[in-house]
Amino acid sequence: MPPLILLAGVGLLVVGGGFAVYLATRSAGQSPPSRLAPRAEEGAPTAQSGKGSAPDDPSPVITRVLDRLGLGRSLQKLLLQAGLLVRPTELVVLVLGLAGMGFAAGMAVRGFLLALVLSGVAAVVPVVYVQTRRAKRNKALVDQLSEALTMMASSLRSGYSFLRAMQVVSEEMDAPISEEFGRVLDEMNVGVSHERALKHLMDRCPSGDVELIVTACQIQSTVGGNLAEILDTTAGMIRERVRLQGEISALTAEGRLSASILCALPIFLAIVVGHLSPGYLDPLFITPMGRLLLLGAGGAMGMGMLVIKKMMAVQI
């Protein structure tokens, strides 16, 4: 049993790696979708709507279902925040495909219960990947904000306009901030208002720092003031916050490592015991009481991880 389960797990890891490669290659070289454009907000047809779907839509039926459920735009926003220029339909199709492969592998190895577990694990792989990439991209963007604001303030003092200052950032800095500022400029160039383009920036970049910058720019455009000085002050505040967050991360590293060890240790010991004494742990999987104990242990581990995560999360 353990070798077959290990083989099934390796197969799922290979499929999950192929999924990640697919998303990376599928996103490369594409122009940003217009899902968050103003016409999409006003209900006009977009590339994600049912009848207006592009020819390469893998499943127009799923697209229409997502739009009717109100999930299409939310999924598209999530993918944009992760820097993945793929359709929500493609993500759903891949989730269903991985879940089906996990279910088939579980049925071939053990039975219905293991099939459900592997199916759920395989279905979670794309979601975890997208969420991890989203968090990583958002952190990289926040780390670039102070430098971008300083560059914009210097450009404004040299006589550039606000749009030209944003263009300097989009041309001189690396992704992801260059991509986001470039999208704001593209929207303004096609007639989107200044306020709405900045609102779309907040939608794509869910960060309190971005919201602070956008709010400061909107207030300055309404009541006036020295925008360069405002940007400098905001940059200093963001730089100090990032420094404090780094110190907190270093101080809580021991707690996060302990949580990871405590979570991985039971699984590691189960694998070692199953390898040294084949059949010793079979009652946990084949008897009702054993399955109940496994379920309770998994729930306790999950609750403990949530508690430790909550304790380690310090907001500044």
Side-chain angles (χ1 to χ4, degrees), residues 11-25 94 98 125 129:
L12 290 178
L13 288 176
V14 172
V15 174
F19 163 80
V21 173
Y22 170 82
L23 286 184
T25 55
L94 287 171
L98 286 174
V125 168
Y129 174 80

Side-chain angles (χ1 to χ4, degrees), residues 14-123:
V14 172
V15 174
F19 163 80
V21 173
Y22 170 82
L23 286 184
T25 55
R26 176 70 173 82
S27 301
Q30 296 187 16
S31 58
S34 58
R35 184 65 182 180
L36 297 180
R39 292 187 63 187
E41 293 184 345
E42 298 168 2
T46 65
Q48 301 297 327
S49 61
K51 296 182 180 181
S53 298
D56 60 341
D57 193 339
S59 179
V61 176
I62 296 180
T63 301
R64 288 194 292 269
V65 171
L66 290 176
D67 285 341
R68 289 175 182 176
L69 294 176
L71 298 176
R73 178 175 169 80
S74 299
L75 288 177
Q76 183 65 78
K77 182 187 294 187
L78 176 64
L79 291 170
L80 281 176
Q81 291 171 355
L84 298 171
L85 304 183
V86 298
R87 298 172 181 273
T89 308
E90 293 173 324
L91 179 62
V92 173
V93 169
L94 287 171
V95 168
L96 294 177
L98 286 174
M101 294 182 64
F103 187 83
M107 291 297 293
V109 171
R110 186 69 181 179
F112 185 74
L113 180 61
L114 181 61
L116 288 180
V117 173
L118 290 181
S119 176
V121 172

Side-chain angles (χ1 to χ4, degrees), residues 261-274:
I261 294 175
L262 291 175
C263 183
L265 186 59
I267 301 174
F268 175 76
L269 290 178
I271 294 175
V272 172
V273 171

Side-chain angles (χ1 to χ4, degrees), residues 120-136:
V121 172
V124 169
V125 168
V127 180
V128 173
Y129 174 80
V130 173
Q131 292 286 359
T132 302
R133 179 165 176 142
R134 174 197 181 196
K136 183 178 179 180

Side-chain angles (χ1 to χ4, degrees), residues 140-219:
L141 188 141
V142 171
D143 292 340
Q144 292 177 307
L145 279 178
S146 60
E147 182 181 353
L149 293 180
T150 302
M151 186 179 297
M152 289 182 63
S154 300
S155 300
L156 291 172
R157 289 192 178 94
S158 64
Y160 285 173
S161 64
F162 180 74
L163 293 182
R164 177 55 182 162
M166 293 190 68
Q167 185 177 0
V168 170
V169 174
S170 66
E171 292 175 352
E172 298 296 331
M173 294 194 65
D174 298 329
I177 198 166
S178 60
E179 297 175 352
E180 296 300 336
F181 277 37
R183 290 178 186 176
V184 173
L185 292 173
D186 291 340
E187 290 184 359
M188 291 182 180
N189 289 335
V190 298
V192 179
S193 64
H194 178 273
E195 292 78 9
R196 181 167 293 179
L198 292 178
K199 181 180 180 297
H200 295 163
L201 176 63
M202 287 194 299
D203 290 338
R204 295 190 303 268
C205 306
S207 170
D209 294 330
V210 175
E211 183 177 356
L212 176 64
I213 295 170
V214 171
T215 302
C217 293
Q218 291 177 344
I219 293 176

Side-chain angles (χ1 to χ4, degrees), residues 138 142 206-209 240-242 244-246 248-249 252 309-316:
N138 189 56
V142 171
S207 170
D209 294 330
E240 184 67 15
R241 191 198 65 80
V242 170
L244 291 176
Q245 191 66 47
I248 293 175
S249 178
T252 58
K309 182 180 180 181
K310 189 69 175 178
M311 293 173 60
M312 296 296 103
V314 179
Q315 298 294 332
I316 300 179

